[in-house]
Amino acid sequence: MAAQVVLLASGAEVDRFRQMGADDPQSLFGVEVTTFPRWIEGLWARYGDGRAIVGRVQRRMLLTRLVRERREAVLADGLACARQRGATSGSAEDDAASGGRLADAAAIGDPPSGDIAWSPGFVRFADRVLQVAAGLPALEDLVARGGASASGSDRSDNQELIVDLLRQYAAELRGAGLVEGGEAAQWLAVNAPCAFPAGLCVRHAGGTPLTWHEQAFFERLPHVRLQVDPLQGTDVLAPVRTGVRLSFAFPAGAYARPALLAQTIERLAPDHDVVVACADPVGLFEALAPGLQRPCFAQGARPYRRTSFGGALIALHEAIAKPGLSDAERLVLLCDVLRSPFAGLSQKAARSVEQQVRGDRLTRFDDVLAEVRAASELFSQLEEVATQPGADVLLGVFEDRARRMTGRGGHWVADELAAIAATRQTCYAAYQGACTVEDCMGTLREATVSVARSAGEGLTAPTVRIMGRTAAACLPPSAVHTVIACGFEQASLPLGGADDAVTLFLERCGLTSPDDLLAAQRRMVQGLEAAARCNLVVERLLRDESADEAYPAAVFEELVDAYRDDPTNVDELSNEHRLPACLDQRAFDRGEDLLVENECRGPRLEAVALANSCEREPDDPLHAAAVSQLRAVGRLDGGLIPSPSALEAYVECPRKWLITRGFRTDGLDEGFGPAERGTFAHRVLELLYGRLAERGVPRIVPAGVDEAASLLREVAAEVEAEQAVLKPGSRLAARTLFERKEVHGLVESMVRHLPDEAALLPRFRPLHLEYRISRESPVSYAGGLLAGRIDRIDVDDQGNAVVIDYKSSVSDEHSVGFWRAHQTGKVQALVYARAVERALGLNVVGSLYVRAVKAAGPVVAGALDPRFAGPADLPGSKADAVMCDVEGPLSFRGLVDEVEQRVAYALECLRAGDVAPRPSWSGVCASCPLSSCPRREN
């Protein structure tokens, strides 16, 4: 008897079945070909009890609301307990802080401790359970029993919570006049006999097993004749059919995949259509299509939050409404929003706001938000949608804006319209389920939108279609010349999903999965082979993103074993691809070491190869551009007045100077790091020694450490108080409690350093603090001019001076001992020594780097004339590394002269535009950001 209804597992299989029957229209005349859920929906519309079948978004929204309400109730109880403890214990501050954390967690959804349940994971768990088991007697009985298992054993606390949630969900569903599709199917089987007349024949086609819902449904309809096609995927894979050639592609890693696929397409099917089956069609399209000189199409899904509209909406909601965020975190989110075309600001205006925010750590979020509201009406409308669930009436404004932005491409417009449509659907579901805007955003964060991509539509070459593996496996037999099946690694095709929490929960309900992952993967491989007319290419990565070995999927190994004479003989797989000899010649591979070539696919490969073969000057790929840029901004002209730190950078390595000084690669953000802490410490020490001088105390002595410590804390408090009004970039601006504790720790570290200060150069006293050589009055040095600021100059009674440069840490590279070993070293303080002689007429006898805080390691480094101070005058130092020779090249005077000569030569090279990589010693490269430098020494 011919079936009146044919049921298949998916819409793609329905399409294939209909296409296969198109040659004989009579074969499908009067036959309904559909999926089980669609069949039930049609029957329910005619024979149901008037309730509507709940949609996917409606279910998710309702669960989100129920979980949020329960979370808020639990956390409210915790907050009340915290307040009660505060009333009885008297520790109001601690309990207020605990209550604040609980209140934040209520909205954020991140429980502060393990005993608080109802995280967003409960929504995902319950949603999956309802998708596969709603309406089944086993689940209904479990919910009715209140969570006790059939054997009477107790379940875990989380399982009890899930059952309680499902019970409340069922009640809410009935109250809203809705019904789950699975429940509707069981209701029809019992209460609508007229929907299933005697003699009805239903065929379950496609070779897939019956689902739980289908089993329970047909068990209640014994008079309906059910024909089930033989199951597929139960046997191990066999060799591909005659006429189809099996090949393999082995990219070393993800970077090499697009280039290898492009080569494989041109090698096997230069004049034929190709289908590429993968897990992420849109992502692969974006990597592969630019290198193909033929039409390329892709269909897939994209996360809602990765669309321009979706990302802006979610970020704006979090910036405004998410509790627990600092102003800095909210401002980062706001800047992300302003770059969106749906914020209504020009790119220039958005960059201006971002520069303001990043350049000033103390910028207030509310102030910036008010400015943006005033500047853009469209932003205000986006804010309404992000914060008010009923503001979805404004979505039409954004649809109109998206349609007008044709310059971004048709695909971009389609993606944004799909995202806005998903927003409207979610807002409507929120209205139906009495949900809040937080519930909407929680649902949208995990939503996806269907998208399509195309390229090269005007070309006449055969097409390349990129699609999901399941969809490609549903193509009609011999539909395409070549099929490339991607991602046959364990990570992409795992078999471990059967042990996940939802599956275990359902198994304890008595619901054992009717299918298994291995059988489903076998059916997928068989479908891909059937779709191929001439070539089937199986691709798998050799290494994952961590460069670890990527193991083959079980179906990959089964397919390979089908060609082996003896699957137990490991010697058959002795080649590098681990393939039997009959298949090894059909393997293509590509390494990730060809970084540029892997990014330049298709015809551009020849141009890259030609460029790589050309002779060019080593070390100089940036030279012409660098010199042109530096001359344009006046960095190489005759009036150059560098600082000693800039000279040190150039002497150490011209290319490092170019990257760090010439091009100024510093970011936009006002920092809170070593440079800012150094600025703070310099100011504190300047005031400390100034106040001591006002009191008639020329220097810190061991007996006066306690007085100096008290005074240091006093001036540090003044410096900290003035930070908020200082210009960004010249302050240490703390904006959180943690950062304020860091400032306090810095001050206490400076206090602990005071005993070392008291013992340092006891015959010298600080005379000049933060001494400035201005650009208006520079000193002559090395055939040029020099300007800069010297942290401190100590002088003795005979007019001998020691230059001191504060550092957060010092090392061997700062000392004369390093010069002895390497004939080079740090030069900044030695440059300062000669500059002080010429500016002040002092006899400089040493240049020291002094750590201004207490920490592990040396306190003092540098170079010192042993005739004016000894090892006892240098606490915490390697005295033999600091003491110069009395005479000769490594005497203090000889070292200062040598540095000036080197700087003179360096200035000539700098003015000539020499920016070649030339590190003075290996340690220079450690702090250089140019990781690809050919002269880099690790």
Side-chain angles (χ1 to χ4, degrees):
M1 179 180 179
Q4 290 98 347
V5 178
V6 177
L7 301 179
L8 291 124
S10 67
E13 292 189 46
V14 169
D15 293 340
R16 177 177 62 177
F17 192 91
R18 288 173 176 166
Q19 291 176 31
M20 293 171 63
D23 294 337
D24 183 11
Q26 294 298 322
S27 65
L28 296 181
F29 182 75
V31 179
E32 183 178 3
V33 183
T34 185
T35 62
F36 182 74
R38 289 293 178 88
W39 186 44
I40 294 300
E41 288 176 9
L43 294 173
W44 184 259
R46 285 176 282 170
Y47 305 106
D49 62 6
R51 291 178 292 170
I53 294 180
V54 67
R56 177 183 56 84
V57 175
Q58 287 176 297
R59 178 197 300 122
R60 194 67 180 242
M61 287 294 302
L62 186 53
L63 287 171
T64 300
R65 175 173 69 81
L66 296 178
V67 168
R68 175 183 52 79
E69 290 174 348
R70 285 169 174 256
R71 181 171 64 247
E72 290 173 351
V74 169
L75 292 165
D77 290 343
L79 183 59
C81 291
R83 288 171 177 164
Q84 186 176 7
R85 286 196 304 270
T88 56
S89 67
S91 55
E93 181 177 348
D94 290 344
D95 289 306
S98 174
R101 289 193 298 271
L102 289 168
D104 287 348
I108 297 172
D110 297 328
S113 62
D115 59 343
I116 297 179
W118 304 115
S119 69
F122 278 80
V123 176
R124 294 187 289 271
F125 191 103
D127 187 37
R128 285 189 57 196
V129 169
L130 290 167
Q131 286 181 44
V132 300
L136 295 178
L139 185 62
E140 297 294 318
D141 292 346
L142 176 70
V143 173
R145 289 194 304 268
S149 64
S151 62
S153 61
D154 291 333
R155 298 180 178 275
S156 70
D157 292 342
N158 282 349
Q159 290 169 343
E160 293 288 354
L161 295 175
I162 285 290
V163 171
D164 193 38
L165 174 63
L166 294 175
R167 184 187 304 107
Q168 185 182 5
Y169 171 80
E172 291 279 346
L173 212 60
R174 287 191 296 271
L178 299 171
V179 63
E180 281 286 344
E183 184 182 351
Q186 305 310 313
W187 187 96
L188 288 170
V190 174
N191 300 295
C194 57
F196 312 101
L200 176 65
C201 181
V202 177
R203 175 187 171 189
H204 189 275
T208 59
L210 295 173
T211 66
W212 288 323
H213 284 123
E214 291 168 338
Q215 291 176 12
F217 177 78
F218 287 111
E219 284 174 0
R220 290 181 169 178
L221 295 170
H223 64 282
V224 173
R225 183 179 176 185
L226 178 64
Q227 300 175 351
V228 180
D229 285 5
L231 291 181
Q232 298 179 10
T234 56
D235 298 327
V236 297
L237 294 173
V240 299
R241 71 185 189 277
T242 303
V244 175
R245 178 182 175 86
L246 177 65
S247 303
F248 295 88
F250 294 106
Y255 290 120
R257 169 177 278 161
L260 181 57
L261 292 179
Q263 287 182 337
T264 303
I265 290 170
E266 295 306 317
R267 181 179 297 162
L268 297 181
D271 302 316
H272 301 279
D273 292 346
V274 175
V275 162
V276 181
C278 63
D280 180 14
V282 175
L284 184 57
F285 173 92
E286 292 172 350
L288 178 59
L292 293 174
Q293 295 300 307
R294 54 200 296 179
C296 187
F297 305 92
Q299 284 187 319
R302 189 178 192 188
Y304 172 87
R305 64 182 179 275
R306 287 187 57 193
T307 64
S308 293
F309 181 82
L313 190 69
I314 291 175
L316 183 56
H317 172 78
E318 292 179 350
I320 294 174
K322 187 174 182 179
L325 297 184
S326 65
D327 263 20
E329 292 168 320
R330 296 185 191 281
L331 286 167
V332 169
L333 290 169
L334 182 59
C335 288
D336 288 342
V337 175
L338 299 184
R339 287 193 292 267
S340 167
F342 296 100
L345 292 183
S346 67
Q347 289 299 306
K348 180 178 179 180
R351 284 194 299 269
S352 176
V353 173
E354 183 174 10
Q355 289 172 353
Q356 171 195 344
V357 167
R358 295 177 63 180
D360 187 347
R361 303 184 84 245
L362 301 183
T363 302
R364 295 181 66 251
F365 172 75
D366 290 340
D367 294 341
V368 178
L369 184 62
E371 292 177 9
V372 177
R373 286 170 179 161
S376 171
E377 181 182 0
L378 189 66
F379 176 86
S380 299
Q381 293 170 328
L382 184 66
E383 181 183 357
E384 288 189 58
V385 177
T387 56
Q388 301 177 24
D392 57 305
V393 294
L394 296 172
L395 290 174
V397 173
F398 298 98
E399 287 175 325
D400 292 341
R401 182 172 179 83
R403 291 190 182 99
R404 291 196 302 269
M405 301 183 73
T406 55
R408 290 177 174 263
H411 295 306
W412 183 89
V413 173
D415 289 358
E416 301 312 312
L417 292 177
I420 295 170
T423 308
R424 180 178 283 108
Q425 182 184 16
T426 303
C427 289
Y428 181 69
Y431 170 76
Q432 289 181 308
C435 300
T436 66
V437 69
E438 285 77 16
D439 301 329
C440 284
M441 295 301 156
T443 299
L444 288 171
R445 282 187 191 96
E446 300 189 21
T448 59
V449 294
S450 297
V451 297
R453 294 287 184 273
S454 65
E457 293 93 332
L459 301 174
T460 58
T463 62
V464 175
R465 285 182 290 165
I466 306 175
M467 53 202 311
R469 288 186 293 239
T470 302
C474 293
L475 292 171
S478 300
V480 64
H481 180 275
T482 297
V483 172
I484 302 178
C486 298
F488 273 63
E489 313 89 40
Q490 278 186 10
S492 183
L493 293 171
L495 295 180
D499 296 327
D500 68 15
V502 172
T503 301
L504 294 174
F505 174 82
L506 294 173
E507 285 178 352
R508 290 167 183 164
C509 298
L511 296 171
T512 303
S513 176
D515 199 4
D516 67 80
L517 288 174
L518 181 58
Q521 291 176 14
R522 288 169 176 162
R523 290 195 296 271
M524 181 263 293
V525 174
Q526 291 165 349
L528 293 172
E529 179 214 333
R533 188 165 61 251
C534 296
N535 292 301
L536 173 65
V537 182
V538 178
E539 181 260 15
R540 80 170 181 91
L541 300 179
L542 298 180
R543 298 199 173 274
D544 60 19
E545 61 274 9
S546 301
D548 296 325
E549 181 179 0
Y551 296 102
V555 285
F556 180 92
E557 294 184 313
E558 275 195 8
L559 188 59
V560 170
D561 286 346
Y563 289 84
R564 296 174 62 185
D565 296 330
D566 180 6
T568 63
N569 182 9
V570 295
D571 292 336
E572 284 189 69
L573 307 180
S574 58
N575 54 71
E576 62 175 327
H577 300 122
R578 299 180 186 176
L579 296 175
C582 61
L583 296 178
D584 190 42
Q585 299 302 315
R586 308 180 195 174
F588 315 125
D589 53 30
R590 188 176 184 88
E592 287 191 303
D593 51 334
L594 304 172
L595 294 177
V596 176
E597 292 88 336
N598 283 335
E599 287 301 311
C600 300
R601 296 168 288 279
R604 290 186 289 169
L605 282 172
E606 296 181 4
V608 171
L610 178 62
N612 287 340
S613 68
C614 294
E615 291 289 333
R616 63 184 182 189
E617 287 291 326
D619 308 333
D620 253 357
L622 294 177
H623 178 78
V627 173
S628 175
Q629 172 70 11
L630 294 173
R631 291 197 188 284
V633 297
R635 298 274 176 84
L636 302 179
D637 58 20
L640 178 69
I641 306 178
S643 66
S645 60
L647 286 175
E648 181 178 78
Y650 187 86
V651 169
E652 288 181 354
C653 178
R655 180 57 52 85
K656 180 180 178 181
W657 171 87
L658 170 69
I659 298 300
T660 59
R661 299 277 183 159
F663 285 160
R664 298 191 183 278
T665 56
D666 296 336
L668 299 176
D669 302 279
E670 180 186 6
F672 192 81
E676 290 74 26
R677 286 193 286 270
T679 300
F680 181 90
H682 283 205
R683 178 60 177 161
V684 170
L685 291 172
E686 180 186 10
L687 288 181
L688 171 66
Y689 283 108
R691 298 283 173 83
L692 288 173
E694 292 172 1
R695 297 181 181 186
V697 179
R699 59 164 292 120
I700 300 174
V701 296
V705 167
D706 291 342
E707 178 187 358
S710 176
L711 184 57
L712 188 147
R713 291 189 178 98
E714 178 184 318
V715 298
E718 296 177 15
V719 173
E720 184 176 6
E722 72 182 11
Q723 298 302 298
V725 299
L726 295 178
K727 182 181 178 181
S730 60
R731 65 186 184 182
L732 183 68
R735 60 189 177 192
T736 66
L737 177 61
F738 178 78
E739 289 178 347
R740 288 192 288 273
K741 288 183 176 179
E742 280 197 68
V743 175
H744 176 74
L746 172 63
V747 172
E748 292 305 308
S749 180
M750 295 176 68
V751 168
R752 293 193 298 273
H753 171 67
L754 289 177
D756 292 330
E757 276 288 319
L760 177 66
L761 300 174
R763 292 184 295 279
F764 290 76
R765 68 184 186 282
L767 184 62
H768 298 281
L769 304 170
E770 299 296 327
Y771 181 77
R772 181 169 178 261
I773 301 174
S774 69
R775 291 184 174 273
E776 293 74 23
S777 302
V779 297
S780 61
Y781 182 80
L785 299 174
L786 184 75
R789 185 186 295 269
I790 302 165
D791 297 341
R792 187 172 122 196
I793 304 170
D794 285 14
V795 181
D796 67 5
D797 294 338
Q798 285 74 44
N800 301 308
V802 176
V803 172
I804 292 179
D805 190 34
Y806 295 129
K807 296 291 182 184
S808 58
S809 64
V810 296
S811 65
D812 292 342
E813 296 171 356
H814 293 92
S815 292
V816 67
F818 192 82
W819 283 83
R820 286 194 178 95
H822 301 277
Q823 289 76 52
T824 188
K826 296 288 185 179
V827 303
Q828 181 177 353
L830 294 166
V831 173
Y832 279 138
R834 182 55 50 83
V836 168
E837 288 179 346
R838 291 175 179 163
L840 297 174
L842 296 171
N843 179 37
V844 180
V845 298
S847 56
L848 299 179
Y849 300 92
V850 177
R851 195 181 59 218
V853 297
K854 191 69 173 178
V859 176
V860 181
L864 188 64
D865 190 326
R867 294 173 296 179
F868 299 91
D873 302 327
L874 304 174
S877 68
K878 298 178 181 179
D880 57 338
V882 177
M883 291 299 169
C884 295
D885 297 342
V886 175
E887 296 180 350
L890 290 178
S891 65
F892 183 75
R893 187 65 48 199
L895 201 57
V896 171
D897 292 341
E898 170 66 18
V899 167
E900 186 167 13
Q901 292 175 16
R902 292 193 183 192
V903 171
Y905 174 74
L907 284 172
E908 291 179 7
C909 295
L910 177 58
R911 294 189 182 101
D914 179 7
V915 289
R918 195 166 51 250
S920 299
W921 70 92
S922 59
V924 172
C925 299
S927 59
C928 179
L930 190 61
S931 59
S932 60
C933 178
R935 292 288 303 279
R936 189 175 185 90
E937 300 182 37
N938 296 319

